[in-house]
């Protein structure tokens, strides 16, 4: 009785592939059984069982040596066996590949259907964003000084409130200070992404305002660079963390600031703790970003400076901060929870 009848094609071919590792006595027994198998059946079974190209080539060599010894002495026979193997390759693999693809698609669909994200605290119905922007300018030809502008943008976002746990021991003022650190850390990252700039020298994103190069530090500042202006060319924007008590933000530099030190402040203050329309408790926080001392028109400010500021520079700066405040209003209640005592 042959190995084919006893164990099936798969076991027989697996035994043939590992024939070189067998003892001589076992090899002599296997030769008699393999000779009774058809080469085409062996080829198809090796491919369908997934032994791969290496196993297929080894099986092909054994078939030529044992199952059809006459192929060993005739080059025509060896060529015919090789051509037959190549012709059977796509036909043998196609049903297996299609089944794998279908199984993979089914698994992916099942994963999508079964996935459910459980929030630590479900998002609340946020308060109105109430975004406000104000611009004030100073300097100019009348005062014989360089014209500068202050851009102030403020808005409101909401956070779900959690109570009852040991970690929920904060006041609304504590929550506002904590959120101010998080927002200050994310502001330059958001600016770099929105303008398609590369941010260098920034720390890993943490749950706070830590690791940024400070004003008093000798370390190089963090830089927002455009791909067309690599180092050592000047950066589009440089950032250093402010270290003065009561000030949270950055000292800005680079081409955007046109040689003037510009201050970027972030401030958060709690407004109220109330229930939303669905009865879930929330806290409303007012966030204010202030860009202080920004040149109106870069270095060439004498001719057409205010026109350039109103038509180009102000709309550009305002759109960046407005998009950032919209992001805070939409995403902060999903990413953070206020643990109040």
């Amino acid at each position: 009785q042959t190995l084919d009848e006893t164990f099936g094609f798969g076991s027989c071919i697996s035994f043939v592939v590992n024939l070189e590792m067998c003892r001589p006595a076992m090899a002599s027994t296997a030769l008699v059984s393999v000779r009774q198998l058809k080469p085409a059946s062996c080829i198809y079974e090796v491919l369908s069982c997934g032994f791969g190209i290496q196993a297929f080539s080894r099986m092909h060599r054994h078939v030529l040596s044992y199952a059809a010894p006459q192929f060993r002495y005739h080059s025509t026979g060896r060529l015919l066996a090789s051509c037959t193997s190549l012709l059977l390759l796509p036909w043998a693999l196609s049903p297996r590949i299609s089944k794998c693809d279908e199984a993979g698609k089914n698994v992916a669909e099942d994963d999508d259907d079964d996935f459910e994200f459980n929030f630590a605290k479900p998002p609340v119905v946020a308060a109105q964003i109430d975004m406000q922007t104000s611009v004030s300018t100073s300097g100019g030809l009348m005062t014989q000084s360089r014209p500068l502008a202050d851009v102030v943008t403020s808005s409101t976002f909401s956070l779900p409130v959690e109570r009852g746990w040991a970690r929920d021991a904060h006041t609304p003022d504590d929550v506002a200070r904590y959120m101010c650190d998080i927002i200050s850390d994310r502001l330059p990252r958001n600016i770099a992404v929105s303008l398609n700039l590369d941010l260098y020298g920034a720390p890993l994103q943490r749950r706070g305002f830590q690791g940024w190069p400070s004003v008093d530090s000798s370390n190089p500042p963090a830089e927002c660079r455009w791909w067309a202006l690599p180092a050592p060319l000047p950066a589009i924007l440089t950032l250093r963390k402010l270290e003065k008590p009561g000030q949270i933000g950055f000292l800005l530099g680079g081409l955007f600031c046109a040689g003037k030190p510009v201050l970027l402040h972030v401030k958060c203050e709690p407004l109220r703790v109330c229930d939303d329309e669905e009865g879930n408790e929330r806290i409303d926080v007012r966030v204010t970003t202030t860009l202080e001392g920004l040149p109106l028109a870069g270095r060439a400010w004498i001719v057409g400076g205010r026109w350039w500021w109103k038509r180009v520079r102000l709309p550009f700066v305002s759109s960046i901060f407005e998009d950032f405040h919209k992001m805070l209003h939409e995403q902060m209640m999903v990413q953070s929870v206020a643990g109040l005592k």
Side-chain angles (χ1 to χ4, degrees):
Q1 189 177 15
T2 64
L3 292 173
D4 178 23
E5 297 174 354
T6 304
F7 302 105
F9 283 134
S11 301
C12 177
I13 297 306
S14 177
F15 185 79
V16 172
V17 170
N18 298 306
L19 189 59
E20 296 176 354
M21 302 176 61
C22 300
R23 297 179 179 179
M26 296 178 62
S28 62
T29 304
L31 296 181
V32 179
S33 301
V34 175
R35 286 195 185 103
Q36 301 182 29
L37 296 179
K38 296 180 181 180
S41 301
C42 295
I43 293 170
Y44 174 76
E45 188 58 30
V46 169
L47 293 176
S48 61
C49 290
F51 287 105
I53 301 301
Q54 182 179 3
F56 173 73
S57 62
R58 294 181 62 186
M59 180 278 302
H60 187 254
R61 184 172 63 253
H62 284 298
V63 168
L64 290 178
S65 302
Y66 305 129
Q70 64 274 18
F71 285 2
R72 191 187 320 169
Y73 307 103
H74 301 284
S75 58
T76 305
R78 292 196 298 269
L79 180 61
L80 179 60
S82 301
C83 294
T84 303
S85 303
L86 293 175
L87 291 175
L88 290 175
L89 180 62
W91 170 73
L93 291 179
S94 58
R96 299 289 177 176
I97 295 176
S98 61
K99 290 181 180 179
C100 291
D101 292 340
E102 293 177 0
K105 292 179 180 179
N106 294 334
V107 170
E109 293 176 357
D110 294 341
D111 291 343
D112 293 339
D113 295 339
D114 296 340
F115 177 78
E116 292 182 0
F117 184 83
N118 295 321
F119 294 96
K121 197 72 176 176
V124 295
V125 179
Q128 296 295 326
I129 188 171
D130 190 22
M131 186 180 301
Q132 299 177 5
T133 302
S134 62
V135 181
S136 61
T137 60
S138 60
L141 294 177
M142 299 298 296
T143 59
Q144 297 182 358
S145 60
R146 190 172 183 179
L148 304 176
D150 298 339
V151 182
V152 181
T153 308
S154 62
S155 66
T156 302
F157 66 90
S158 302
L159 298 177
V161 173
E162 180 185 68
R163 298 180 186 270
W165 296 87
R167 63 177 180 267
D168 301 333
H170 304 287
T171 64
D173 291 333
D174 295 335
V175 174
R177 284 193 296 267
Y178 179 68
M179 295 307 301
C180 190
D181 290 341
I182 294 178
I183 293 172
S184 300
D185 181 79
R186 296 188 181 182
L187 178 55
R189 305 178 194 273
N190 182 269
I191 293 175
V193 172
S194 62
L195 300 181
N196 197 21
L197 299 176
D198 298 323
L199 181 60
Y200 298 99
L204 295 177
Q205 185 169 343
R206 301 183 177 91
R207 304 289 293 182
F209 192 33
Q210 303 173 0
W212 288 89
S214 64
V215 174
D216 301 330
S217 173
S218 59
N219 296 327
E223 297 178 340
C224 290
R225 285 191 170 275
W226 186 33
W227 64 269
L229 294 175
L233 297 176
I236 300 295
L237 185 67
T238 63
L239 304 103
R240 287 187 179 274
K241 179 181 176 182
L242 297 176
E243 292 291 347
K244 293 183 179 180
Q247 291 186 353
I248 299 178
F250 294 95
L251 175 65
L252 306 182
L255 295 178
F256 177 74
C257 300
K260 278 287 186 179
V262 180
L263 298 179
L264 175 60
H265 298 287
V266 179
K267 181 181 178 181
C268 291
E269 54 183 352
L271 294 181
R272 67 187 73 87
V273 178
C274 59
D275 293 339
D276 63 5
E277 299 174 358
E278 299 179 357
N280 299 318
E281 191 176 12
R282 78 184 186 202
I283 179 173
D284 298 337
V285 181
R286 189 72 178 176
V287 56
T288 303
T289 57
T290 303
L291 196 61
E292 181 181 341
L294 180 65
L296 265 62
R299 298 181 185 274
W301 59 271
I302 298 179
V303 180
R306 293 188 180 274
W307 177 90
W308 180 258
W309 166 254
K310 294 180 179 179
R311 294 297 182 91
V312 179
R313 200 167 172 84
L314 179 58
F316 174 74
V317 173
S318 300
S319 64
I320 292 177
F321 284 98
E322 289 175 1
D323 292 341
F324 179 71
H325 281 261
K326 291 178 182 178
M327 183 275 295
L328 295 178
H329 184 263
E330 296 172 356
Q331 298 184 14
M332 294 311 295
M333 62 179 174
V334 179
Q335 300 174 357
S336 302
V337 175
L340 299 181
K341 59 184 178 181

